[in-house]
Amino acid sequence: MTTFYVTTPIYYVNGLPHIGHSYTTIAADVLSRHKRQRGQDVLFLTGTDEHGQKVLKAAQEEGKTPQEFVDGIIPRFKDVWKRLDISYDDFIRTTESRHVETVRYFLQLLYDKGELVLGDYEGLYCVPCEVFWTEKQAEGGLCPDCRRPVERIKESNYFFKLSRHQAWLLEYIKAHPDFIRPESRRNEVLSFLEENTLSDLCVSRPKSRLSWGIPLPFSPDHVTYVWFDALINYISALGFPGNRKKFDAFWPSALHLIGKDILRQHAVIWPIMLHAAGLFPPQGIFAHGWWQVGREKMSKSRGNTVNPLDVLDEFGIDVYRYFLLRDVPFGLDGVFSRDALIKRFNGDLANDLGNLVYRTLTMSEKYADGRIPVFDRDGHRSSSGSSIVEKMDGLGAAVDTALEKIDFIAALEAIWSLIGAANKYVEETKPWNLKKAGQTEALEDFLAVMFQVLRHVALEIAPFMPQTAAKISSQIEADRVAKGEPLFPRIVEEKNS
Ligand code: MSP
């Protein structure tokens, strides 16, 4: 059986997930559900990044120890994923011992190989971002990311000499065109590596400055830099190094879905860490764009986040999932707006999908006493009927190809092209005329084709809209239809004049 290992970033727990976080997680969920449906052995991993300054600060603000704080927030985090119908197989927390042990093993391994060396570090540090900047970068003494003042810090730390492996990485990326996707991001990483010599990465923090982290096994006065700790989650969840069987089964198929903000960590630091440890890189990394509010990235620090649960309460889970993956190409930035969501709802969902389902059930009631005629592949039918059957037969492969490329829009367009064709088929066939003319056989075949379309549509939309797919299936699973309310009643917004 082929395996598929898909991961999301592990999220910081200094707040609950917003739309941006839910985006990566829903994308991973859709791929997982699709591959499971196709019979693959799927491992879908998500989790939380619980060490570091940000979490420590958030805990202090609430008067809690960091452990109390993270333990308190995790159930609420998991609850958001549950409400979004996320079918993860494993949830890793960086405070779990299975993770801490792997991190310590990994560090010791690199240390023994001479990859981590002690040195002096002096630099300008942004406390909230946990990033060191050069004088040039921190122009005017401000962090170029968050625009808050940086502090001058001097301390002794362990460094990882990334540049030793730079030539290897460059060659690796060139030899593996699908390693970093989309192509624009691959080119960005390639030119970065071609034009710069990687500087040494500081992989520790003195315990005196940051107590909330994993102590280095060879220097207990230091804790691990939070990114070093975090990236290792992708293999600690596989039970590395103890569970070699699981690791060997899943690691070769690993796909990391990330936002473009953390491309460098995943496409440069992480492959080099693995290579230095004698392991090979993940199969692929796909960096998507940002959800914005107006022209700004949606983020906690900007205070412009939208809570996914509010959108759910108003429109339902499936509408939310559909909108995120249908409205903006995975890889580009997009603007989250209520108007755009309502437009998709009324168009794609109410007019196209909802209408197709409802009218098919209604036609069955009107023309066949609510029966669901059995589909006959070789039935005699009009050329438009035959072309619908042909389209239906090609749908599965079209969706497979699109999702192989992580092109959600192409997958949904393939499904909607069948929905559109089937709606047109109704207009062309004019079943009411067939009924009048007593053409029973043609009418039965027409209905059978329509129900077969619904089965295919339900199957293919299931990864995107699990609840809707289940509803459609339950309406047509017996030999008689079970018609309920329309799936997506049109939303009419009152305009304020
Ligand atoms: N903890 C690190 C990741 C470590 S992975 C080994 C981190 N966490 S985070 O909580 O800040 O989440 C970052 C991820 O959330 C982004 O890479 C992206 O997947 C998602 N998003 C956060 N804001 C986003 C948008 N506004 N739009 C789209 N996705 C964004 O970084």
Side-chain angles (χ1 to χ4, degrees), residues 103 107 125 129-132 201-205 210 214 216 223-230 265 269:
V103 171
L107 285 161
Y125 188 69
C129 296
E130 297 179 60
V131 177
F132 277 105
L201 179 73
C202 181
V203 299
S204 67
R205 300 287 180 259
L210 178 65
I214 302 177
L216 300 186
V223 300
T224 316
Y225 165 49
V226 70
W227 270 102
F228 225 74
D229 167 353
Q265 287 89 342
I269 300 178

Side-chain angles (χ1 to χ4, degrees), residues 10 12 18 20-21 24 49 227 259 261-262 288-291 298:
I10 47 171
Y12 291 129
H18 62 65
H21 307 121
T24 327
D49 193 352
W227 270 102
D261 46 334
I262 54 176
H288 63 67
W290 284 340
W291 281 99
M298 189 186 293

Side-chain angles (χ1 to χ4, degrees), residues 109-236:
L109 189 70
L110 291 195
Y111 184 69
D112 293 344
K113 285 175 180 270
E115 296 279 356
L116 305 180
V117 290
L118 196 61
D120 265 341
Y121 196 89
E122 187 174 351
L124 299 171
Y125 188 69
C126 174
V127 178
C129 296
E130 297 179 60
V131 177
F132 277 105
W133 301 106
T134 61
E135 302 273 352
K136 207 172 133 205
Q137 287 168 325
E139 218 190 322
L142 296 178
C143 167
D145 262 3
C146 73
R147 316 296 304 159
R148 281 176 277 209
V150 290
E151 287 171 29
R152 181 167 296 279
I153 282 180
K154 185 175 177 188
E155 58 196 25
S156 121
N157 269 317
Y158 284 86
F159 290 85
F160 181 28
K161 292 207 170 300
L162 294 175
S163 57
R164 277 191 197 166
H165 306 281
Q166 184 161 353
W168 164 79
L169 181 61
L170 199 53
E171 281 319 301
Y172 186 88
I173 296 173
K174 284 185 178 160
H176 297 83
D178 280 345
F179 176 49
I180 302 168
R181 285 179 290 172
E183 202 176 345
S184 55
R185 299 287 161 223
R186 175 175 191 264
N187 292 337
E188 188 184 307
V189 176
L190 276 176
S191 41
F192 172 72
L193 289 171
E194 271 158 356
E195 288 157 25
N196 301 279
T197 302
L198 293 174
S199 38
D200 299 346
L201 179 73
C202 181
V203 299
S204 67
R205 300 287 180 259
K207 215 171 170 179
S208 52
R209 176 157 67 77
L210 178 65
S211 56
W212 185 233
I214 302 177
L216 300 186
F218 45 85
S219 175
D221 291 341
H222 286 97
V223 300
T224 316
Y225 165 49
V226 70
W227 270 102
F228 225 74
D229 167 353
L231 287 161
I232 292 174
N233 91 87
Y234 300 129
I235 59 170
S236 59

Side-chain angles (χ1 to χ4, degrees), residues 1-18:
M1 201 196 276
T2 32
T3 55
F4 178 64
Y5 179 36
V6 64
T7 67
T8 72
I10 47 171
Y11 303 103
Y12 291 129
V13 289
N14 52 339
L16 287 173
H18 62 65

Side-chain angles (χ1 to χ4, degrees), residues 64-115:
K64 291 183 176 157
T65 68
Q67 191 66 53
E68 274 168 2
F69 175 81
V70 295
D71 288 347
I73 203 160
I74 294 306
R76 296 170 60 203
F77 228 89
K78 288 186 171 172
D79 188 54
V80 175
W81 297 148
K82 196 168 162 207
R83 300 235 359 234
L84 288 169
D85 249 339
I86 303 301
S87 63
Y88 59 78
D89 299 295
D90 194 0
F91 188 104
I92 189 139
R93 301 180 50 184
T94 55
T95 50
E96 282 175 271
S97 64
R98 61 169 173 157
H99 174 73
V100 173
E101 277 164 29
T102 304
V103 171
R104 288 168 63 86
Y105 174 89
F106 198 95
L107 285 161
Q108 188 68 50
L109 189 70
L110 291 195
Y111 184 69
D112 293 344
K113 285 175 180 270
E115 296 279 356

